[in-house]
Amino acid sequence: MKRREFITLLGAAAAWPLPARSQETRKTPRIGVLWHAASAEEEAVYLGALREGLADLGYVEGRNIVLENRFPAEKWERFISLAAELVQLKPDLLVAVSRPAAIAAQRATSTIPIVFSVVPDPVGDKLVETLARPGGNITGLSNMALDLSAKRIELLKEMVDGLSRVALLVNAGDPEGARRYIRESQAAANPLGIAIEPVEVRGLGEIPNAFSRIDQLNVNGLVGTADSIFTVERRNIIQLAIERRLPMMMHSRETAQAGAFMSYAPSYVLMLRRTATYVDKILKGAKPADLPVEQPTKFELVINLKTANALGLTVPPTLLVRADEVIE
């Protein structure tokens, strides 16, 4: 073999492993996402927000990131089984949207990084040690839903003259979460002279039964807790409440846009977009234990005037001025 040919061959052999190493370095990250509803269509607003947040950071699904979405349809046993299924895929990271999803993901793995989103009380649920120093393999974003229970009741009383008895929708499929919402709501309502009547909903499709119970309670207001089941069932809740001319305070801008009389909450769309920031940091090497849990700093009051008119209510000017959005 001639010397020049030998050098060329040797150079080619030396260079051969480099593309493989480069390709391995640029491996497409795979993210397991455990939602709460039954399909991508039901999660369209929030799935779109997560995708947009990732795209803002340079991650385009199907090009340089893979999302493995799973939809448990608000069934606790499916949260558990689908979390285990995602872990078996050995993703680079798990995203858990809602309290049940976060609890199921934490139980499924202690090694794969987890980012939760829209979780009311991550410390109380023992998902993290503290908000500032989560510890372990999990961190994320809290919606502070329990803390907002009092404010929602106060706003509804300000709106509804003579408010004295309020039905509180709680998810009986999550008894611990339901117990906390009842406790916080009763503590807020008692000083205002309002009686809280908890109404349990045991699963999807149970809203008509819940309103049959509400019919027997002689309430003049309704509050829906910030449980994911009421996000999915928001249109049924709104329709049945309007039929009964029952003023309702709900838990997200999307519920007010769908026809709820009022909502008071952080932006869940923004929260899902912000979730992408945590995904990016962890993919770049950050540890969940060192990433503080993020809490919202802005809360939106949304009033639906069309629904107010349907209920025969006049919104006080003081509330209209304070509203972040008025739907006409």
Side-chain angles (χ1 to χ4, degrees), residues 81-147:
S81 63
L82 291 178
E85 179 181 309
L86 286 171
V87 168
Q88 289 301 311
L89 296 177
K90 298 183 178 178
D92 297 277
L93 185 147
L94 291 176
V95 172
V97 185
S98 77
R99 176 179 181 269
I103 292 172
Q106 185 189 47
R107 291 181 181 179
T109 178
S110 60
T111 56
I112 298 173
I114 301 169
V115 176
F116 58 74
S117 190
V118 197
V119 170
D121 184 12
V123 175
D125 286 321
K126 296 182 170 54
L127 294 171
V128 299
E129 294 175 8
T130 67
L131 297 179
R133 300 287 295 179
N137 65 316
I138 185 168
T139 188
L141 299 91
S142 170
N143 60 358
M144 297 179 63
L146 279 173
D147 303 86

Side-chain angles (χ1 to χ4, degrees), residues 33-312:
V33 189
L34 185 59
W35 296 91
H36 57 83
S39 67
E41 289 73 25
E42 289 184 359
E43 295 283 12
V45 173
Y46 306 116
L47 176 53
L50 177 61
R51 284 171 170 157
E52 290 169 6
L54 290 169
D56 289 343
L57 297 167
Y59 299 99
V60 179
E61 190 177 8
R63 184 184 303 169
N64 61 354
I65 196 168
V66 174
L67 297 185
E68 294 282 359
N69 294 297
R70 296 295 185 273
F71 304 96
E74 307 293 347
K75 297 178 180 177
W76 178 248
E77 65 276 10
R78 283 184 57 78
F79 280 107
I80 299 297
S81 63
L82 291 178
E85 179 181 309
L86 286 171
V87 168
Q88 289 301 311
L89 296 177
K90 298 183 178 178
D92 297 277
L93 185 147
L94 291 176
V95 172
V97 185
S98 77
R99 176 179 181 269
I103 292 172
Q106 185 189 47
R107 291 181 181 179
T109 178
S110 60
T111 56
I112 298 173
I114 301 169
V115 176
F116 58 74
S117 190
V118 197
V119 170
D121 184 12
V123 175
D125 286 321
K126 296 182 170 54
L127 294 171
V128 299
E129 294 175 8
T130 67
L131 297 179
R133 300 287 295 179
N137 65 316
I138 185 168
T139 188
L141 299 91
S142 170
N143 60 358
M144 297 179 63
L146 279 173
D147 303 86
L148 297 180
S149 298
K151 188 64 175 180
R152 290 193 180 105
I153 292 171
E154 290 171 7
L155 286 168
L156 188 60
K157 179 166 179 65
E158 188 175 345
M159 178 62 240
V160 180
D161 187 36
L163 185 70
S164 60
R165 200 174 192 86
V166 171
L168 182 73
L169 292 175
V170 295
N171 181 5
D174 179 9
E176 176 58 23
R179 184 187 66 79
R180 292 184 197 173
Y181 279 120
I182 293 169
R183 180 193 65 206
E184 293 292 327
S185 299
Q186 287 177 334
N190 287 341
L192 299 174
I194 297 172
I196 294 294
E197 296 287 352
V199 177
E200 294 184 343
V201 176
R202 300 193 175 277
L204 295 175
E206 291 295 314
I207 295 300
N209 292 338
F211 272 84
S212 294
R213 293 192 293 276
I214 288 173
D215 289 339
Q216 303 169 13
L217 295 175
N218 193 31
V219 298
N220 57 348
L222 169 69
V223 172
T225 54
D227 190 283
S228 55
I229 193 172
F230 303 128
T231 299
V232 175
E233 291 278 23
R234 59 188 180 274
R235 288 178 177 82
N236 289 333
I237 295 169
I238 291 161
Q239 177 184 342
L240 292 168
I242 291 176
E243 287 175 1
R244 289 158 174 78
R245 299 175 70 84
L246 195 59
M248 73 214 87
M249 164 63 82
M250 295 293 282
H251 61 280
S252 70
R253 174 189 289 265
E254 288 70 44
T255 55
Q257 290 172 335
F261 171 43
M262 300 173 70
S263 68
Y264 185 73
S267 169
Y268 287 5
V269 168
L270 179 59
M271 195 169 294
L272 266 298
R273 290 182 71 112
R274 287 285 304 163
T275 300
T277 303
Y278 278 70
V279 171
D280 177 55
K281 289 179 179 180
I282 292 171
L283 289 178
K284 289 177 177 175
K287 296 180 179 179
D290 300 327
L291 294 175
V293 173
E294 183 170 297
Q295 293 182 296
T297 56
K298 177 176 172 55
F299 304 96
E300 302 172 332
L301 172 61
V302 182
I303 299 173
N304 191 314
L305 282 184
K306 183 178 179 181
T307 301
N309 292 333
L311 297 172

Side-chain angles (χ1 to χ4, degrees), residues 3-50:
R3 182 172 180 273
R4 180 178 299 173
E5 293 173 346
F6 174 76
I7 292 173
T8 301
L9 182 61
L10 183 63
W16 176 79
L18 293 178
R21 287 198 297 269
S22 177
Q23 185 177 8
E24 183 179 349
T25 301
R26 296 194 300 268
K27 182 181 70 118
T28 301
R30 183 178 297 270
I31 310 301
V33 189
L34 185 59
W35 296 91
H36 57 83
S39 67
E41 289 73 25
E42 289 184 359
E43 295 283 12
V45 173
Y46 306 116
L47 176 53
L50 177 61

